[in-house]
Amino acid sequence: MSARSANADAGESGLKIVDGFDLEADVRALLKPAQLVEDKEGRRHRLPRYFYEVPSHQAGTEIRLTPHFGLNEFLLVDLKEAARLRQYPRYIPCAVRVLAFYLERIRDAVGAHVHLAVNGGYRSPSHKLAVGASPHMWATAADLYKIGSTVLRERASIETYNRVAEEISDDLWIMPYGHELGQADDHIHLDLGYLTVVPREITEDAFEAPQAKPRFAFEERRSGDRRGWPTPPDLTQLTFDNRPKD
Ligand SMILES: [Zn+2]
């Protein structure tokens, strides 16, 4: 399937956004949109309500969130994820695009591929590893197991790349190296906290109930097609005639 025909499947305007309250009952029961969950410290956080709908495995492979991160990389799960949520269409909180933006910055900084682990991207609240609130349930956390050809299993490599990530932004929290609970010794965990995204294209009205029609929206394409379906930039259109003269 070409990018052009795949684009037609996804809607010409870009990714389909759905209100979690409007999903089929079995999917909604597993995703628990806007429900409160407690973290290990007893603080409560409200789960995301708005999701991108991923129509097929092929679509997940072709949809780029940033130049180097495809949507499918955040959907890698094994049998620990609820069976129904491993079937297409699949759903992922819209904040994943913000996570991808930060991972792209890290990729720029290290100049090498950044590899997410299986179960290291989005984990639904029904995932077996989802014990208490974790930003993985918001699609704002990533577990990295490899950067370039370096498998992250040792203090030196993990702490080196942890420092790189810390330098990117104070928005990122990076789990310290160590063998205790709340530490990591065989991957890098980084997250943006309990960040939710309300896409500008969707209407917010009733809370705890489905919103008025239309009950979904298509995300408008952003400049440069950095998101949605891959379209190579047309560099022949670049002109430098408008540069300020100084
Ligand atoms: Zn993690």
Side-chain angles (χ1 to χ4, degrees):
M1 184 160 54
S2 70
R4 190 182 304 264
S5 62
N7 191 32
D9 290 347
E12 285 299 328
S13 300
L15 291 174
K16 185 177 178 182
I17 301 154
V18 295
D19 180 347
F21 291 164
D22 261 336
L23 293 170
E24 289 172 41
D26 57 339
V27 178
R28 180 176 169 177
L30 294 165
L31 292 176
K32 308 181 196 300
Q35 287 188 29
L36 286 166
V37 283
E38 249 179 40
D39 66 19
K40 294 185 190 75
E41 284 76 31
R43 295 172 298 213
R44 300 201 298 166
H45 305 282
R46 198 174 289 282
L47 285 162
R49 171 172 173 177
Y50 301 103
F51 298 83
Y52 289 131
E53 185 175 280
V54 187
S56 65
H57 174 75
Q58 173 126 12
T61 304
E62 293 180 1
I63 295 167
R64 312 303 300 176
L65 293 173
T66 65
H68 294 98
F69 289 93
L71 189 49
N72 62 318
E73 294 173 70
F74 300 90
L75 289 165
L76 285 172
V77 287
D78 59 17
L79 297 175
K80 294 189 185 76
E81 185 57 277
R84 178 65 183 84
L85 299 181
R86 286 183 272 120
Q87 294 167 13
Y88 292 91
R90 290 176 63 180
Y91 301 93
I92 186 162
C94 295
V96 69
R97 61 179 169 78
V98 185
L99 175 65
F101 173 85
Y102 282 93
L103 290 177
E104 186 74 23
R105 300 285 81 72
I106 294 171
R107 200 239 175 246
D108 287 346
V110 300
H113 282 288
V114 170
H115 301 268
L116 275 78
V118 173
N119 300 311
Y122 174 54
R123 305 199 291 248
S124 84
S126 303
H127 191 289
K128 287 194 171 60
L129 294 177
V131 182
S134 134
H136 285 284
M137 294 152 64
W138 275 250
T140 53
D143 295 337
L144 314 177
Y145 82 98
K146 194 164 87 163
I147 292 181
S149 58
T150 305
V151 178
L152 302 164
R153 279 190 299 237
E154 289 163 3
R155 174 186 287 271
S157 55
I158 290 174
E159 290 193 335
T160 298
Y161 288 121
N162 278 357
R163 278 198 298 278
V164 171
E166 281 163 4
E167 288 297 314
I168 301 286
S169 170
D170 287 347
D171 291 336
L172 288 170
W173 181 81
I174 294 111
M175 189 175 277
Y177 176 87
H179 310 297
E180 308 290 318
L181 195 68
Q183 303 176 331
D185 59 10
D186 63 353
H187 67 282
I188 287 174
H189 164 106
L190 51 86
D191 71 66
L192 295 162
Y194 303 96
L195 177 74
T196 56
V197 165
V198 179
R200 74 192 67 213
E201 294 86 356
I202 202 107
T203 300
E204 292 184 88
D205 46 18
F207 200 69
E208 308 290 351
Q211 62 174 356
K213 289 181 180 177
R215 293 179 168 183
F216 58 88
F218 288 101
E219 187 176 64
E220 289 162 18
R221 307 192 82 173
R222 304 306 204 263
S223 62
D225 272 341
R226 287 185 299 271
R227 306 229 310 276
W229 304 91
T231 309
D234 184 0
L235 298 176
T236 63
Q237 297 302 309
L238 280 180
T239 169
F240 295 97
D241 291 348
N242 297 325
R243 280 183 300 185
K245 308 284 188 291
D246 53 13

